[in-house]
Each structure stands twice: as structure tokens, then as C-alpha cells.
Amino acid sequence: MSSPHEPAAPSAGITLALAVGNQRRKLPGKAEEETKPQQEEQESKEAKMPINFTIVPVEDAEGDGNSAAAAGSSKPVSLGNMFAKEDDEDNLQGPHSGDNSQKESTPFINSDDDGEQYYDGKNMALFEEEMESNPMVSSLLSRLANYTNLTQGVREHEEYDNEDGVRRVAVTVPQMGTFIGVYLPCMQNILGVILFLRLTWIVGTAGILGSFAIVSMCCICTLLTAISMSAIATNGVVPAGGSYYMISRSLGPEFGGAVGLCFYLGTTFAGSMYILGTIEILLTYIIPTATVFKEGESAAMSNNMRVYGTCCLLLMALVVFVGVKYVNKLALVFLACVVLSIMATYAGVIKTLIEPPEFNVCLLGNRSLKNEMIETCAKTEVIKNITVITEVWSLFCNSEYSNATCDEYFTLNNLTELRAIPGLLSGVIKDNLWGDYGPAGTYIEKKSQPSIEETQDPTDDVYKLYVFNDISTYFTLLVGIYFPSVTGIMAGSNRSGDLRDAQRSIPIGTIMAILTTSFIYISCVVLFGACIEGVVLRDKFGYSVKKNPVIGILAWPSPWVIVIGSFFSCCGAGLQSLTGAPRLLQAIARDGIIPFLQVFGHGKANGEPTWALLLTVGICEIGILIASLDAVAPILSMFFLMCYLFVNLACAVQTLLRTPNWRPRFKFYHWTLSFLGMSLCLSLMFISSWYYALVAMVIAGCIYKYIEYRGAVKEWGDGIRGLSLNAARYALIRLEEVPLHTKNWRPQLLVLCKLDSDLTVKHPRLMSFTTQLKAGKGLTIVCSVLKGTFMTRGDEAKTGEQNLKATMAVEKMKGFSHVVVSSNLRDGFSLLIQSAGLGGMKHNAVLMAWPTGWTQARDPSARRNFIETVRETTSAHLALMVAKNIDHFPNNQERLEEGTIDVWWIVHDGGLLMLLPFLLSQHKVWRKCKMRIFTVAQMDDNSIQMKKDLQMFLYHLRLDAEVEVVELHDSDISAFTYEKTLVMEQRSQMLKQMQLSRTEREREAQLIHDRNTASHAAMNDKPAGAPPDRVHMTWTKDKLINERNRQRETMGVKDMFNMKPEWETLNQSNVRRMHTAVKLNGVVLKKSKDSQLVLLNMPGPPKNKKGDENYMEFLEVLMDGLDRVLLVRGGGREVITIYS
């Protein structure tokens, strides 16, 4: 940039709205050379930005040669070197290093703690003050270009110790494309154990049509979820955490935490399933003799699975703990095993067209036999013209002779040998179209074969020779077992930070992987049904084909290709689960939304989640102890389905809300597809296992409520907040459309609080009373007013509002708080009374504390503010409640064991007086207090009839209260009343004089100031002996004190009899009002002195403002001697009704 001392020249040729000064500050010597490669790299990054714009240089007319050269260059130049320090910190820490911060960090806007930056140039001098908080466009673009987002776990893998023991961090820009970064990881996670160990059994049990329905439902479910996930993943940068990050940032921390933990549990149980699959392959096909528990013992296979599974889990956990790098590097090797196994399967299908494999199955009648020990499928055979018995005879008969005693079914039926794999052209597809379900223990039979049933059950030894169902089979069970084979679609989004262009690669790679795997699954369903005999398909473990995996006998060139391939595939998938699940738990723990998971956010020095790995191993062991792949699969299906359900919900909510930030680059989505996917997920949950579905929902619901109750407060701009805003807007509009009915009336309170000098709440018991009155229902707005201007006291207003919220939280009070700054308190409270609330959600009652110090205050503003507030609430048709001695009211922890709430119903102004005690009695503080209602009868009233009428009225109102009618007899005005009135008027007169003296003093000071200002220049011209100007004071402080002393002396001399002439000069209206206040106070004291709370009708202020100074006196006399008093003034409408 040019020097600021050079004169500015007019810029020429500005053709676009974006103008950036491109002159660089000249760097001396070597420093300039070192920056050139960085600048060139930066320029190349900026050139790749997808935003189309032109950078127009702003040239200086008088610049040095270097500046002119720089200005003449056509390359866009970045000013990123001014932010070099901040860029480095951003790249090292990552965008979400501050996990506990509520405010999301961004590398694009300067933070408050950035050092002061000085822009040495005059082209942008108009904006130089803005640059302290907002970067120039060139700096913004520089930061955008340098912004990298490392996935969780990548950073610790890139850190290593060099030979000197000094830790270095090698951060490289991710360069993976769609194929390597998304397609292959998704393929590896989707294809796995179910394909090799259970798909043939599912096809044989459900039939081709049933299997096609199962596969289609599951694949469509994941495809719709992938479309929703692609929309979310391309709506901005998605860091590591995959589905958890997407759901939590779209639906909020409560949903995110609940579904994140469900996804974590699903991934953990997936590890259990893969380990069980590994052990099943090992003990069934590779080393069947390596068993701890022999076949003769009960549940031997399950116990073997538990022992070997636990050992395998500990070994895998050790590998993950020590060498997680090698797990990631071996991922492609494991994927290669899967691909080779699938290719071998397709090759075997093609080979059946030429020559079917030499595998046969032996049937006795129509029942399939275990042929591991059977060489010849016949009862006898002829060897050298001699008939000899076969292995089958020795298994079913008790001797080698022809007259031996044999099993009845063996005697009645013949042995038949069938090809296990007839081939594609054999027509076996017709037999396999329909399903063959059955309970546990059912023989696997070929229905078309002739068979004669035995009359008695076979012995246990004979029964074990047949192939039979080990579990009961039905359609919904198969759905739950199959669904884990289509999970794994989140693998691409989990690696978003490693991708060259995540917003392009994630949708294409994920959807292509789902389409590819769906094709593989559907084609396998059809090919298995078209090639393999039905009794062989239903043989889960391959006992009828010499204990080979059924898919293995179809594969070419050997079944061992499938055995070895599936074994390594299961090992790799188990390691991947044990690697990914702890990192997911660590991400949830570091977000801080679930307090009891904080410990799992820590790990080794390089970031490895040690504690999370231990928890994962413990949960995984639970799945292994179940010891059945068929029982574990539906469990993890529930958790994955719930996760996918909320991904679809997140996309649908964001789409329907149309928030401004919802701008996915992936355009092929629609909210109807998301809702269809969500419905399909929910249906599959209940189809596969309704009780597991309920358990998963209860777990998620408990986590949701726990986060809502105890979790950290996070604001991620989630869709649920937007949904709440839309619902609130809709409800507010509906509330305004129809006027409120009396049945729905409840006090919606505006609580006027006073803050002390420390900006803390002066009367916290006002909050307690509000809580007791409201019990969390309806609207509560707590406000206060600070005197001054918002520019000077804005921070204090925020502090006061936070203190209000803190006090509300302590009192467990639900509502809103607001602190306004006004030039005077009167205007502030007036604005709050007029404008607080929104639409139909506005307050209808005002609650405030009685201004206790108004008699001692020399400033009458407290009295005037109170009276004006009463007038304004009356004009606004709002109810008013004024609590005297509010600090004596009970807090929320107290329990009033006995006592009464006394209502003095003098005038009817809507029934609020009777409703308030009922509302208070609902709270545990006042629950044991009884309600009493007193009303006043004049001389000409029938008090007995009044009592009956009032009792009937309360009966219709469904209120339980004692009723008492107090007769107020006409009597002469007492001397005490006259004395009270006289003292009141004298005090009012004194306050007026004090106010007058204050006004005069202010006027005098202003006059002196004006005269000094006007004659300042003339003072120097006056002669030395000129007398000073005099100012006439109409009322001085000495005169005020003398007048006050004279009045006191006069009052001291007079006695009560001599005061009678002054009584006659009193305002008779005031005397009558005082007479009423004194008489009522006497009656109330007599009846309600010991009551817990007294509710009184509050008389309104006089319409003529000349009597304002006496109004407070009347109220003081009315409440004199009472401890807890609530003055109530209705809003002019009925608030209680006898109708239902």
C-alpha cells in the first residue's frame, strides 16, 4: 500500500461493485522473496473459488515503481498477510476447537481479541474505522481459501514425534476424491457379514419374492435417507461426527444428543455383530475342532461364542488402542477381500451354466440330513457283488445286520440324493419363489418329495442327524436380521474433511454406493433362488453340504475364497466399529451437552479416546454375551433406524421452514421424500421388533429429557428452534383472531421489579410470590427500568437482565425478563405497561411492590410514579396487584402449616379477588391455608340474605371458602380521623413547600448561569468599584427552616380542643375518605390480624390530580397494622364464571 502522506488521486475505470486495493507493502530483502511462493499459492486458491466476480484494481496516480507494477498486474492479490497470525491459529485449532463455547467460532470475521490492525493506505480511508472489527474483502477471501476443516481423529494421526522428540504437526490439505473418499468406504461398510452368512438363509426362508420385498424396503429406506443426508451435508461444511453433527446442528442438542447416543450404541452393537460373525466363521468352517465346550453339552455353541468372542474383542481393542493407524491403512485390504468374494460368487453363478458344482444333498424321505459324515447317500451299497451297509445305516440302526432295529422313519422312507446347486437353467427358481417359515426345531424338508410320517418321535441322537431350524422364522424377524447389511451409508459424511470437494463427493459417492450395493443384494437374491436347491438355502450353517457356507459352494473356484474373504471382512468391520464408536462418543462428550459423559471426552496425549474405548468395549461385551448373531442384529437395526429417521426429519423440517441458511448444493431432494423415508424407518422399526423399537424410543426419550433438564445450553441455529418460532407465530396469530373467553382467563403477569445499585433484584420475594401464583402456567414478564440513556447504560441493562434471569432460575420461575433504559423511570414503566408482550400473548395484570419509603423520601417522584402506574393500568384495563411488606412473604421452600387467606370483598371488579386465593392454594406453600371471604354490609342491607347469596355464589363457582358478612354501622367521624386528616394535609403542604424551594433553587442556579454566560464579555469592561449584580431569592433554606420550626412550636402549644376550629377548615372530602379508611382498617384488624395473607380491594386514585398527595395516606391508613397485604384492583372485565 502507498504511504498515507501521499495525496489521493481519483480512481479510474471502476466497473464492478467489488474494488480491492492490490498494492502490497514492500517487504525488504529476503522477506519479500519468501512471501512470493505463499502469495502465488494463495492466488491459485482464490482462483479456484466457485464465486464469479471481478477484482478491479484501485490505482494511485502518485506511487512508486513497485506500487505501479503491482497495480498493473492482472492477478488478484490477497491481503491475507495482515491476518497471518490469525490464519495460522485457525488452521491449527480447527473451526470447532472451543467445544464448550456457546458461540460458534468462525474464521471469517475478526474476533474481539484480535490485535489492533493498522491499514497503511488512503484508498479505503472512509472505512478505516470499520476495519477494526470487519475485515476487507481481500482478507475475507484469503481466509476462505486457507480454511481447512480436519476430521476428528485426523489431527492426532498427523501428529508424530520426530527424532529429537519434538512434536510436530503436519497438516496437509485433503485431496481425496469421490471414489476413494466416499464410494469405497461406503461399499466397505455396507457389504459385510449378513451377505455371506445369512442372505442365502433369508432367501430360502422368505422365498425370492419375500426376500425381494425385504431388500427393496431396506434399500429404499437407505436411499431416501442418503438423499436427505446429502442435502444436509451439502448445506455448508460438515465436520467429523457424521450423522451426530448433522442431526444435532439441524434439530438441536436434545435430539442430537439422543440420536447421537443411539447411533453410538448402534455402532457398538455392530462391532459385537461383526465379532460374532468372525467367531461363527472360525468355529463353524475354519477350525471346527477348536471348541472349549463340546457338542454334547447344552448350549455348547453359545458358550464357545462367548469365550472366543470375548478374547477376540480384547485383541481387537488392543489393536485399536495401540495401532489405529494400521486399522485405517488395512481398510482397503479388507474391502478387497469383500470384492473378491462377491466376484467369486458371480463367477460361480456363471459356471453353473456350464457345469454345476459337485455338491450333493442327501434326503431321507423329504428331510434333509447332515452329510458331514455321509459319503454315500443310500441305506446299502453293493461292493464286489456283496451288499454292505453304509454310514447312514449305522447312524439310524442299532446293528450292522439287516434284521437290526432301526428308526421308524428311516425304515418307512427312502434316501434321495439331489444336486445342491442345480444351476441357473434348472428351473429351481419356481420352487424358491415362496417362503417356508416354521417354528424352532422344524425339519428342513423338500415339500415335493414323497414322505411317510412316523408314529412316534425320534430319539435325541436320531433327531440330531437331521437339519432343522435353530430359531423360529417369520417375515418380521428376517427384516430385523437383514437391515444391518444396508447400514454404513454415513461413512462418506464422516470423512467430509478429507475430501477435495465434499459438497460434490458426498451425494454422488453415497448414492452410487447405495445403488451398487442394492444391485448386488437384489441380484444375489434372484441368483441364489435360481441356482440353489431350497433345502440347501434354508440350511443356515451348511450342514447338508459337508459344513460349507452355502454361498461358498456356489463360489468359484473354491468355498475357501468365501470363508477367508468373509473372515477378514468381519475382522475389518469389527475393527472399524471399535475405531469409530469411541470417536463418536468423544465428539458427543466434548460438545458438553450431556454432563455425565464429560469424562469420555478425554483421552491420550495424541487425542485417542481411551476412556470412550473402554466404555465401548464394555457395551460390546454385552452383545457378545448374547452369543447369537440373529439376536444382536435386530438391536442394532433399531438404533440405526432411529438415527436414519431423524436424518430424514431434519431434512424435512429444514425444507419446510425454508430458513435463509438452508441452501444445499444438492438439489434433488424434497420434503415428501424425507417424510416417506421417515415413515419407512418408523415402519421398519416396528416391523422388525416392536418391543426393541419401544425400548430404543424410551432410551432416546430419556436422553432427550435429561439433556433438556440438565444439559448445557447450546444454540446451534437448529431447525427445532425455527419450528418453535413458526409454531409460536401461528399460535400468536390465532390468539389475536378470537377474543379471550372468561373461562380461559388467567393472570398473565407483568412484574415490575426494582434493581438496587448493584443491579441485583431488590425484592426477590416478589419472584417467589409470582411463582406461587402462576405455578409455571401462562405468561410472566419480569421487567425493570434504569434511568439514563441506552448508549451509556446499555451494558448495565444487559447485566440487570442477566441478574433477573438468575433470580428467576433460583426461584424456578418460568417466563421472560427485560430491562429498559429510559430518561426517567415514569416513562420507562409506562412503555412497559403499554408495549410488553406480543400479539395475543400480552399481560393482563401488573404486579408490583408497595413503595415503602415514600413517606421518608424528600423527592415525591416515588409517590407520583406509583399513582401514575395505578392510573395507567386502569386506563389500559389491566388488573393491578400491589404487595405490601413483600419481603415478609414466604419463599418457595416454606410450608404454611395453618392459617387463612382472607379476602375483603368490598366492591366487585371482575372476581379477581376470589380467583387469586384459589390459584395460590394450588401451590404447596399455601396449600394448607383456608380461604375466608368477608364482605361489608351497610345499615340498610340484609346481612343474612347477603351471606346466603354469597355462599350460593361460591358454590356455583366451585370454591371452598368460609363466608362472613361484616356490618359497618354509620357513626360520627372521630377525633382521631380529624387528626389524621389534619396531619396528612399539613404534610402535603410541607412537601409542596419543599418542592417549591427545590424549584426555586434550580431556577436561581439557572439564572446565575444565564447571567454569567451573557455578561462574560462585559465583565472585563466594568469599572473596578462597580457593585456586583444581586439575585433575589423568593425562598431560601434559612427561611424554610425557620418556617418549619415556627409551625412545630405552634403545634406543640395547641391541644385537642383548640384544634377544633382547624378541623372545620379541612377538606370534607378528605375527611370522609379518611373516615372510611380508619373504619375499614379497624374492622380488618379485628378479623384478620393473624391471617397469613389479606387481600383488599384497592380504591382508585382521585380523578382530580389535586388529591394525589393524599391518596397514598389513605392506603397507608387502610393497611395499617397488617403484615402481608395484597391490594387488588380489577381490570374491568369478568375473570371468573359459574358456567362450565
Side-chain angles (χ1 to χ4, degrees), residues 99-100 152 156 582-592 594-604 606-613 615:
D99 293 315
N100 294 326
Q152 185 182 359
E156 54 262 28
R583 281 172 169 72
L584 179 60
L585 182 63
Q586 188 180 45
I588 298 171
R590 285 183 172 176
D591 261 346
I594 305 177
F596 70 83
L597 290 182
Q598 295 286 345
V599 64
F600 299 110
H602 307 295
K604 292 196 295 186
N606 65 347
E608 287 292 331
T610 310
W611 294 106
L613 179 61
L615 180 65

Side-chain angles (χ1 to χ4, degrees), residues 693-822:
L694 291 178
V695 169
M697 287 181 171
V698 168
I699 292 173
C702 291
I703 298 169
Y704 178 94
K705 295 305 291 183
Y706 176 80
I707 296 173
E708 187 179 54
Y709 179 66
R710 291 290 305 276
V713 178
K714 296 282 184 180
E715 175 50 53
W716 289 327
D718 51 86
I720 291 297
R721 186 175 178 83
L723 198 62
S724 302
L725 286 172
N726 268 13
R729 179 185 62 84
Y730 174 77
L732 286 172
I733 292 173
R734 288 293 304 273
L735 279 175
E736 266 196 323
E737 289 176 357
V738 181
L740 185 67
H741 193 273
T742 303
K743 289 188 293 186
N744 297 326
W745 195 96
R746 68 165 58 246
Q748 317 286 4
L749 289 183
L750 175 69
V751 184
L752 302 180
C753 281
K754 189 173 182 181
L755 300 178
D756 57 20
S757 56
D758 296 330
L759 299 177
T760 56
V761 179
K762 190 172 183 180
H763 300 295
R765 292 293 174 88
L766 198 62
M767 306 277 198
S768 305
F769 183 68
T770 306
T771 306
Q772 295 156 20
L773 186 62
K774 300 286 293 178
K777 304 294 190 299
L779 172 70
T780 304
I781 307 173
V782 183
C783 347
S784 188
V785 178
L786 297 180
K787 187 175 180 180
T789 62
F790 186 75
M791 297 297 291
T792 57
R793 304 198 67 181
D795 293 338
E796 295 180 32
K798 291 179 182 177
T799 305
E801 195 163 325
Q802 290 172 357
N803 292 339
L804 284 179
K805 288 180 180 176
T807 308
M808 292 169 68
V810 170
E811 299 295 339
K812 295 182 179 178
M813 177 181 174
K814 297 184 179 179
F816 309 97
S817 61
H818 194 39
V819 177
V820 299
V821 183
S822 178

Side-chain angles (χ1 to χ4, degrees), residues 84 136 142 222 438 589 669 716 747 775-776 817 858 878 930 936 998 1113:
M136 291 182 64
S142 170
T222 53
Y669 69 94
W716 289 327
S817 61
R858 299 179 64 182
L878 301 176
K930 295 180 180 178
V936 177
R998 184 180 295 107
E1113 294 277 0

Side-chain angles (χ1 to χ4, degrees), residues 135-329:
M136 291 182 64
V137 174
S138 56
S139 304
L140 169 67
L141 299 179
S142 170
R143 289 186 170 208
L144 277 169
N146 288 331
Y147 180 51
T148 60
N149 191 10
L150 298 180
T151 59
Q152 185 182 359
V154 171
R155 190 181 303 111
E156 54 262 28
H157 298 153
E158 296 294 342
E159 295 177 359
Y160 59 93
D161 293 330
N162 61 8
E163 295 177 357
D164 301 331
V166 179
R167 183 169 293 277
R168 295 186 300 173
V169 181
V171 179
T172 58
V173 178
Q175 290 297 325
M176 287 201 297
T178 304
F179 186 75
I180 298 293
V182 180
Y183 182 76
L184 290 183
C186 285
M187 290 280 291
Q188 179 191 359
N189 280 267
I190 294 172
L191 299 171
V193 61
I194 301 295
L195 172 64
F196 300 118
L197 296 184
R198 292 293 182 269
L199 189 59
T200 53
W201 172 70
I202 290 173
V203 172
T205 305
I208 295 175
L209 297 179
S211 304
F212 185 82
I214 293 172
V215 174
S216 299
M217 278 195 304
C218 296
C219 290
I220 290 172
C221 176
T222 53
L223 180 62
L224 294 174
T225 305
I227 291 172
S228 299
M229 184 199 72
S230 299
I232 299 173
T234 58
N235 187 50
V237 179
V238 177
S243 62
Y244 162 70
Y245 184 90
M246 289 188 291
I247 294 171
S248 61
R249 269 57 177 180
S250 297
L251 292 180
E254 292 87 2
F255 278 111
V259 181
L261 279 183
C262 285
F263 190 53
Y264 163 73
L265 292 173
T267 308
T268 306
F269 277 105
S272 301
M273 185 186 73
Y274 292 129
I275 292 172
L276 289 173
T278 303
I279 302 305
E280 184 178 305
I281 294 169
L282 180 71
L283 295 182
T284 307
Y285 306 121
I286 299 179
I287 316 175
T289 56
T291 54
V292 178
F293 300 90
K294 299 305 177 185
E295 288 294 330
E297 302 176 20
S298 60
M301 186 62 180
S302 297
N303 291 328
N304 286 325
M305 298 278 280
R306 292 184 181 105
V307 172
Y308 280 94
T310 303
C311 296
C312 182
L313 172 63
L314 294 176
L315 184 63
M316 286 185 176
L318 185 64
V319 171
V320 171
F321 181 77
V322 175
V324 70
K325 300 177 188 176
Y326 305 108
V327 175
N328 293 333
K329 290 179 180 177

Side-chain angles (χ1 to χ4, degrees), residues 482-529:
Y482 173 76
F483 188 80
S485 64
V486 296
T487 60
I489 62 173
M490 301 290 181
S493 63
N494 288 346
R495 298 165 179 253
S496 61
D498 297 330
L499 303 173
R500 188 181 301 116
D501 185 359
Q503 297 193 358
R504 178 178 176 275
S505 298
I506 289 176
I508 295 175
T510 305
I511 293 174
M512 288 303 297
I514 290 174
L515 292 177
T516 305
T517 52
S518 299
F519 171 76
I520 291 173
Y521 282 128
I522 291 174
S523 63
C524 284
V525 165
V526 175
L527 294 176
F528 291 164

Side-chain angles (χ1 to χ4, degrees), residues 644-663:
Y644 296 166
L645 184 150
F646 281 100
V647 170
N648 284 299
L649 177 62
C651 180
V653 167
Q654 296 277 30
T655 306
L656 288 174
L657 287 177
R658 297 180 182 177
T659 52
N661 190 53
W662 180 247
R663 303 185 301 275

Side-chain angles (χ1 to χ4, degrees), residues 1033-1070:
M1033 282 186 61
T1034 58
W1035 189 271
T1036 63
K1037 186 176 181 181
D1038 294 337
K1039 289 173 67 177
L1040 174 65
I1041 294 172
N1042 293 336
E1043 179 67 20
R1044 206 182 283 167
N1045 292 335
R1046 187 181 64 80
Q1047 288 181 359
R1048 286 176 183 168
E1049 291 170 2
T1050 306
M1051 283 295 294
V1053 173
K1054 292 179 180 178
D1055 56 11
M1056 292 297 291
F1057 296 101
N1058 294 331
M1059 284 172 64
K1060 282 187 179 180
E1062 292 194 13
W1063 292 353
E1064 296 173 359
T1065 62
L1066 293 175
N1067 187 327
Q1068 291 305 307
S1069 174
N1070 288 341

